[in-house]
Amino acid sequence: MAGIDDCLARMMTIPGARRVTLIDCASGLAVASAGREDLVDQHEDAAGATDVVRAVLASPALSATAAGDDVEEIIVCGTGGYHLLALTGADLDGHLFVHLLVDRENGNLALARLRLQGLVDEMAGR
Amino acid sequence: MADRSTAATGDRVARTLGMLERERATGLLSVGGDGAFHLDRGAVTHAASRHAPGPGDLTGALGGPDPELPALLALFDAAYFLLGSGAEPVFTGGPPAHGPARRITAATLIHERRRRRTLLDAAWPHGDADAAPVVPVRRVRRQRVILTGLQAEILLNADGRRTPAELARDLGRTAFACLLAVRGLAAAALLRTPPNDPAPASPVTPAAPPPGPLPPQEAGPPAEWAPADHDLLARLRAALVELG
């Protein structure tokens, strides 16, 4: 099982990765991050990303099944880059999610998703 | 608990913490019987509150990742309650605490506490349910209800005696997460909130109808659905038994 900082460092090796933050879903606290130094902005961003996750989880319109399936990932595509919000799922008790920003020029969404999911699983000890 | 603290009393702990940071003090800052901060050259390295679960309580739920994660979440969780405590902070110098230490500044903890209070108040602006035993309502007056996983856990595990903080420890969740979930449940009218001390529940139970023309219909239950008269029911039952 890998340490968290080690996992985040490896997420930064995903092609196009600009920054990555691990966030506590309950409080919106940025627990750990890599790729950026600015702490104040990082906390503001973490709080904003948490609002998005909460809104999606609370919205039955965004569920794929009538019973309500679990959300694994939320992707926001901008003209400059992609935001991947990967929820860690039941193994971490829904406590945490990873926010990865990938550059559009240098990154590849499909590859980033695949690599991120693998690293999130590893971090959760799966 | 958290919300009894006024700005003045809550500030005292924050001010002391800020002062110790400037002095680069090392030792233990006790906050009455509520808990304590461990300081190392001015930075907070550990915090424990009797209202918040410790890293060990969170570890079970967090499972896989390295122990730093529950330690960090527990520190911020405890700091939230310690900074809101009205107790007198007392500093004792001493050697730094053992174990791997993260270093959090007082300003970060104070900023985070303010942010979390805003989140709580946005969910539901009343703190009535924060420290009281969690009692789910018997009847849900809505067609459908959306809950988070944690809100469902709280309703399923509520026994009418445990408070949100006690449930947090049992469920291996942070106390703040449970407080936020409970505020959401209160906002959705899924919890029985404790009656306030002043004006005991007068607006809830319909009083005798005022004389004169009928007032416009209120949102409450109509008069024919008033609470049953238990004496009348007992006499009715006795009469039926005699007939049978």
Side-chain angles (χ1 to χ4, degrees), chain B residues 203-232:
Chain B
V204 182
T205 48
L214 279 174
Q217 188 68 45
E218 283 181 45
E224 58 263 41
W225 293 106
D229 180 337
H230 281 275
D231 283 348
L232 182 65

Side-chain angles (χ1 to χ4, degrees), chain B residues 185-199:
Chain B
L185 290 170
L190 294 173
L191 294 184
R192 290 195 222 176
T193 43
N196 286 325
D197 305 353

